Amino acid sequence: MNCHKLQESLLSSASGFKNYRGILNWCVVMLVLSNARLFLENLLRYGILVDPIQVVSLFLKDPYSWPAACLVIVFFFVQGTFSEKLGLLIHIINLTVILCFPMLTVLMVPSVTPVGGAFALGSYTILFLKLYSYKDVNRWCRERLQVKARGLSRSLSCPSPPSADGAVHVSYPGNLAFKNLYYFVSAPTLCYELNFPRSQSVRMGFLLRRLFEMLLLTQLLVGLTQQWMVPIIQSSMKPLQDMDYSRMIERLLRLAVPNHFLWLIFFYWFFHSSMNFVAELLRFGDREFYRDWWNSESVTYFWQNWNIPVHKWCIRHFYKPLLRKGASKLLSQSAVFFASAFFHEYLVSVPLRMFRLWAFMGMMAQLPLAWFVGRFLRGNYGNAAVWLSLIIGQPIAVLMYVHDYYVINHLEEAADPGAL
């Protein structure tokens, strides 16, 4: 019998072989072993630095003064301050206050810590986006009612997907109630609908698993930050001050791995564990909080799929309205990135009380990067470029902000005789 036949080697693309599960497992084993060595080296060099009590100081500088916590508490009472019926002017004033009030508080109250300020500003930014969507959808419903009154339309209600629980659906203006508004504010979405898809019941097993993940990953994030990130950042200050480029690159590469690892953990903690926990608790049916961004072969695909709530909001309330007003696709895309860059800088510079525009420039740099990757790189090369931008780009911004914050708050204070 013949023991040979016409066939390609398995690793050749023409073979059609796609089962690389063993190689993936090998990568995981190598990753665990390499990071175990780094973990042991870290313990031998710095000792145990994890201190859960110290985490409190990130949010509260003075135990008797909690300005950041007070801002978040006020956040839960702002939603009903102004009624949608009072008009567009009131909405503009309301949305402006939502952005400016916490910013001024963080800048003017010294006891607000950077972490506490970022948390408060993030809460108000989410509220801003939600109320903007709430205003838009109700305006669309009013416009449909006006068209109906003129006899130009057969439809009166704003369409929403049916729910599986048999709940009574509301139509405009029956949705203008605090219960409807507060459900939307609490729900894990930025886009308002009169009737959200709802699950039939709360799955306690699913809810408890997500809660366990949230608690476990929170401790892991705190521990790895204190034990792994902080020592590397502290050791990076001198090369940055001396402008020692070779040492700066070495510190950047050392920081890239833990920073990226923490970013991945945070992604799972926020977009999967936390948002699914809230969704399950509220029986919110749409659980598409992210798509397969890890398979991105272009920068554009990554930004369209890694944060679905924000992407949906940008498309629905910013990108498409610009297109309807006659703006080109390029201009509309640039405007979306500009708005995103503004909010990134808002959430970083204000809590740190310094304006360096690193986050803003980093976001705007995504436009030429997206063009370059889309034009010259395809397939696995494009995917590698996306991963490289995530692994290297973030620690560059981290080092820039930490260096500037250190110079402003430590070196200048030490050099000022009046500060002693």
Side-chain angles (χ1 to χ4, degrees):
M1 294 182 63
N2 294 331
C3 62
H4 297 286
K5 61 180 179 179
L6 185 64
Q7 56 185 335
E8 298 287 345
S9 298
L10 284 183
L11 295 181
S12 299
S13 59
S15 69
F17 182 77
K18 298 181 180 179
N19 186 5
Y20 297 102
R21 187 176 182 180
I23 295 179
L24 177 62
N25 291 335
W26 171 78
C27 292
V28 172
V29 171
M30 292 298 295
L31 181 64
V32 170
L33 291 178
S34 61
N35 282 282
R37 181 194 65 80
L38 292 174
F39 179 73
L40 180 60
E41 179 184 349
N42 181 277
L43 284 178
L44 294 175
R45 177 177 297 182
Y46 302 110
I48 299 178
L49 301 176
V50 178
D51 182 7
I53 305 300
Q54 188 182 16
V55 178
V56 179
S57 65
L58 296 176
F59 293 89
L60 304 174
K61 185 178 295 185
D62 182 356
Y64 300 101
S65 177
W66 299 4
C70 292
L71 275 175
V72 177
I73 293 173
V74 172
F75 154 80
F76 288 102
F77 296 97
V78 169
Q79 296 95 332
T81 301
F82 298 109
S83 170
E84 195 274 338
K85 297 179 180 179
L86 297 181
L88 179 61
L89 179 61
I90 298 298
H91 276 296
I92 294 175
I93 296 174
N94 186 31
L95 295 176
T96 303
V97 170
I98 287 174
L99 286 183
C100 295
F101 168 68
M103 178 183 68
L104 294 176
T105 302
V106 170
L107 292 176
M108 297 176 64
V109 179
S111 58
V112 177
T113 63
V115 175
F119 180 74
L121 290 174
S123 300
Y124 276 87
T125 299
I126 292 173
L127 178 62
F128 171 87
L129 298 176
K130 283 176 176 282
L131 291 186
Y132 191 97
S133 178
Y134 185 79
K135 179 266 298 181
D136 266 2
V137 172
N138 282 288
R139 176 172 58 84
W140 297 337
C141 290
R142 285 199 314 276
E143 290 174 353
R144 292 193 178 193
L145 283 174
Q146 293 170 359
V147 172
K148 169 70 175 180
R150 291 196 297 265
L152 300 178
S153 174
R154 298 179 180 178
S155 175
L156 184 148
S157 60
C158 296
S160 296
S163 64
D165 62 350
V168 178
H169 284 200
V170 298
S171 58
Y172 185 85
N175 64 301
L176 300 178
F178 283 110
K179 180 180 179 181
N180 184 279
L181 175 60
Y182 276 102
Y183 179 86
F184 167 56
V185 170
S186 304
T189 180
L190 299 176
C191 292
Y192 177 68
E193 289 182 1
L194 276 67
N195 302 283
F196 291 102
R198 304 287 293 275
S199 56
Q200 294 183 355
S201 61
V202 176
R203 299 169 292 177
M204 290 305 300
F206 182 89
L207 191 70
L208 292 176
R209 286 195 298 273
R210 300 291 83 79
L211 178 61
F212 175 76
E213 290 173 354
M214 290 168 61
L215 296 175
L216 177 64
L217 294 178
T218 298
Q219 298 300 319
L220 185 61
L221 283 169
V222 171
L224 290 177
T225 300
Q226 292 179 320
Q227 187 69 43
W228 202 358
M229 283 276 289
V230 173
I232 297 177
I233 292 175
Q234 290 176 340
S235 65
S236 303
M237 292 302 99
K238 192 175 188 307
L240 285 172
Q241 296 170 26
D242 298 341
M243 298 303 292
D244 187 344
Y245 293 105
S246 59
R247 299 293 290 176
M248 287 167 57
I249 295 175
E250 186 268 338
R251 290 295 189 273
L252 174 64
L253 296 177
R254 284 183 59 189
L255 183 63
V257 174
N259 177 83
H260 186 65
F261 190 48
L262 289 171
W263 181 79
L264 291 175
I265 295 176
F266 174 80
F267 167 82
Y268 187 91
W269 173 84
F270 185 77
F271 286 99
H272 186 75
S273 300
S274 300
M275 297 189 75
N276 268 292
F277 177 81
V278 175
E280 189 68 26
L281 198 62
L282 298 175
R283 295 171 48 223
F284 184 80
D286 187 0
R287 309 293 176 89
E288 190 185 40
F289 306 124
Y290 55 89
R291 299 191 189 112
D292 61 333
W293 57 265
W294 47 86
N295 291 326
S296 301
E297 297 180 0
S298 67
V299 175
T300 303
Y301 186 89
F302 168 79
W303 287 109
Q304 290 174 346
N305 291 277
W306 95 278
N307 188 339
I308 295 301
V310 170
H311 175 67
K312 286 182 177 179
W313 188 96
C314 291
I315 293 296
R316 187 193 198 195
H317 298 285
F318 200 29
Y319 180 75
K320 287 186 176 179
L322 286 176
L323 292 179
R324 286 194 292 267
K325 292 181 179 180
S328 64
K329 288 187 177 181
L330 178 60
L331 179 60
S332 300
Q333 291 174 352
S334 301
V336 170
F337 272 100
F338 183 88
S340 179
F342 166 79
F343 280 109
H344 275 77
E345 192 65 39
Y346 174 81
L347 294 174
V348 176
S349 289
V350 175
L352 294 177
R353 298 186 180 89
M354 63 180 194
F355 301 92
R356 293 296 186 272
L357 299 180
W358 300 121
F360 182 88
M361 291 187 292
M363 280 301 303
M364 294 307 296
Q366 297 298 307
L367 286 172
L369 178 63
W371 175 84
F372 177 82
V373 173
R375 180 74 179 272
F376 298 104
L377 302 176
R378 295 288 189 274
N380 291 332
Y381 295 104
N383 183 251
V386 172
W387 278 113
L388 187 63
S389 67
L390 294 174
I391 296 172
I392 300 297
Q394 293 177 2
I396 292 177
V398 170
L399 283 179
M400 294 298 99
Y401 277 109
V402 170
H403 171 263
D404 293 347
Y405 185 81
Y406 176 79
V407 169
I408 292 175
N409 293 276
H410 295 282
L411 293 184
E412 291 184 359
E413 289 182 0
D416 183 8
L420 300 177

